[in-house]
Amino acid sequence: MINRIYLKDCLSFKEVDLEFKEGLNVFTGPSGAGKSILMQAILSLFSLSDVKSSLGEVSLIDSKIKDEAYDIDIDDEIIIKTIKKEKVRFFLNNQSISKKNLNSFSSTLIKHLNLKDTSDFQSTKLIKFLDSLALKRDKKFSSLKEEFDSKYEDLAKSRKALKKILEDESKLEDLKEFAKFEIDKIEAINPQVEEYEELNLIKRKLAKKDKIEDAIKNANGVLNFNSQVSTALELMEEDSSFFDEAINELNNIFEKFSDSLYELEDVNIEEVLDRIEKLSSLQKRFGSIAEAIEYKETKKKELESYENISFEKHQLEKKVSKYSEEVILLAQKISSFRLESAVILEKKINYYLKFLYLSNAKIIIDNKELDSNGIDFINFELNGVNLDTISSGEFNRLRLALLTSMSEFDIVDNGVLFLDEIDANLSGKESDAISKVLTKLSKSYQIFAISHQPQLTSTSEQHFLVDKNKGVSSVKLLNDEQRISEIARMISGEKITEQAVDFAKDLLNK
């Protein structure tokens, strides 16, 4: 539930600091005082409306939300802040959060009923409600639904694999030809790992062959003075072994390199360069010779799979057929549970509609093509007509009946409910009915409602007055005496009559 809100510089409001209780919280006041602005400002703290205040904060307790990403445990207090300067920034428990992520986070807790919100009557949503009710009534439904979900996942995977094979089959010859072309292209070169580096080394040696031979020839002269240097060192009684070892090492290097140069005599430089060019083209395309060889092996496996495609297709077709039969059978069993739940939910909705001076709500389950929700498509009608054709007043009352029914069955996650003038354009008896249903619903939800009717206002747990003076809006919690005066004003207008005061007292006493 929302425990407290704080707003600063929010259009006509300079500052708002309010604390709330569980149950029904109602905002009243003259037209144009800022009631809708205030409600939209509260919704903006949850990223459900545009932020207008320079600073906003809301604290929530008993939210029953667990979110490891923001280190929130079930019993933790949640604080959401908004700061608006050049741009709007959102914070969840002092951690920065994007508007999109905050909106997603809030949707698990906050429900805003407005005229455009038809989501609760969508087939997928109604299916979820009926399944939750079925689970409440019969624990066997849980294992049935789990089996269906598992089998449907297998079916979906097999269908996807079969679809790919059918697509591949339609262009099989092209795929075979391309795979063969790629394999032949690499095999024609027949690259070997590290060959490219070895050939480049040969290329460098060939480029310097003549220069190296001349250099070795010129340097060989030093070897002719080997005995003279050794004699001089002996006369000086110095050990000549270091010099002898150095001369031997030098001689070995010259001989080894001369041998390698000799081996290059039969090397065709044009062939080497041509080979390097071919290997280089593979390196540029694949990154390395090893990756080119790996790509060739992959294409060989693909070609092999293309050759086996007929067998694979036959096997997958058998799987799809088998899974389809099993899933449809499970879907039919699920559908029977939903039919039973629909009868119970429909009866409960019509029970509340009777209080709201409406009747004949009908949940109609039709068959559709199998998908992850089964074979059921659910339509909702009121008095035999589609919900698109009913009035906004009827639609609002129908939503309340549905929400209250689901809440009574405990098949929805309770939270915070925002109602913007839910009793607008209703008669006194209709408004009285709305108040009775909301009183019931407020045992499961914390409700925030704007009202212009005394019936709903008188049943609230907390009554807040929104007023405007010299262009500045304010809001305050009313005590018992102030509530009588405000409800009397709602009854008789600015000139409060004694009869209006008595009626207000009577409403509050009830």
Side-chain angles (χ1 to χ4, degrees), residues 213-251:
E213 286 177 337
D214 289 341
I216 290 175
K217 185 178 180 181
N218 293 333
N220 270 332
V222 73
L223 301 177
N224 297 329
F225 297 96
N226 181 16
S227 60
Q228 289 89 332
V229 174
S230 295
T231 300
L233 288 170
E234 288 174 2
L235 289 172
M236 291 184 286
E237 297 183 355
E238 292 288 340
D239 185 9
S240 65
S241 60
F242 76 92
F243 177 72
D244 295 334
E245 290 174 2
I247 289 298
N248 288 335
E249 180 65 23
L250 178 63
N251 191 45

Side-chain angles (χ1 to χ4, degrees), residues 32 73 220 227 289 302 327 385-386 389 459:
D73 210 344
N220 270 332
S227 60
I289 299 301
E302 283 185 15
V327 171
V385 299
N386 191 280
T389 63
T459 61

Side-chain angles (χ1 to χ4, degrees), residues 5-8 45 51 53-58 80-84:
I5 65 156
Y6 177 80
L7 301 166
K8 186 176 182 180
L45 295 170
V51 174
S53 53
S54 63
L55 179 64
E57 181 175 309
V58 57
I80 300 172
K81 294 181 182 178
T82 64
I83 299 174
K84 183 179 181 182

Side-chain angles (χ1 to χ4, degrees), residues 119 121-129 371 373 377-378:
S119 60
F121 295 100
Q122 293 172 355
S123 177
T124 52
K125 207 70 170 289
L126 290 168
I127 283 174
K128 183 180 177 183
F129 296 152
D371 63 16
N373 285 314
F377 184 84
I378 302 181

Side-chain angles (χ1 to χ4, degrees), residues 129-130 133-138 336-352 361 363 365 401-402 405-406 408-409 411:
F129 296 152
L130 294 179
L133 183 53
L135 182 59
K136 286 279 182 184
R137 295 177 55 249
D138 193 335
S336 64
F337 275 93
R338 288 172 179 167
L339 282 168
E340 293 174 7
S341 296
V343 172
I344 295 169
L345 182 59
E346 182 184 291
K347 183 178 179 181
K348 181 61 68 174
I349 290 170
N350 281 312
Y351 169 80
Y352 283 110
I363 300 174
I365 301 181
L402 173 63
S405 299
M406 292 189 301
E408 184 170 331
F409 287 127
I411 57 175

Side-chain angles (χ1 to χ4, degrees), residues 392-484:
S392 60
E394 289 174 323
F395 189 64
N396 283 335
R397 282 179 280 165
L398 180 58
R399 280 186 298 176
L400 280 182
L402 173 63
L403 198 58
T404 309
S405 299
M406 292 189 301
S407 178
E408 184 170 331
F409 287 127
D410 193 24
I411 57 175
V412 290
D413 295 325
N414 298 334
V416 183
L417 181 64
F418 285 86
L419 306 170
D420 193 347
E421 301 189 35
I422 190 69
D423 56 0
N425 304 317
L426 297 181
S427 66
K429 68 175 185 178
E430 290 171 335
S431 181
D432 185 53
I434 289 279
S435 69
K436 290 177 180 176
V437 174
L438 284 181
T439 299
K440 173 74 175 176
L441 191 57
S442 67
K443 298 184 185 303
S444 302
Y445 284 86
Q446 183 187 33
I447 300 176
F448 293 86
I450 294 174
S451 178
H452 290 288
Q453 300 282 4
Q455 290 85 353
L456 175 58
T457 304
S458 64
T459 61
S460 63
E461 183 72 27
Q462 288 185 304
H463 181 179
F464 296 88
L465 174 64
V466 181
D467 206 356
K468 182 182 279 188
N469 185 20
K470 296 181 180 179
V472 178
S473 296
S474 62
V475 55
K476 68 176 181 178
L477 175 64
L478 301 183
N479 59 31
D480 291 343
E481 289 299 319
Q482 291 168 330
R483 289 188 74 182
I484 292 171

Side-chain angles (χ1 to χ4, degrees), residues 159-169 306 309:
R159 280 177 170 175
K160 185 178 179 180
L162 179 59
K163 182 181 178 183
K164 185 180 185 305
I165 280 183
L166 292 173
E167 289 172 352
D168 289 348
E169 191 177 44
Y306 296 146
I309 197 167

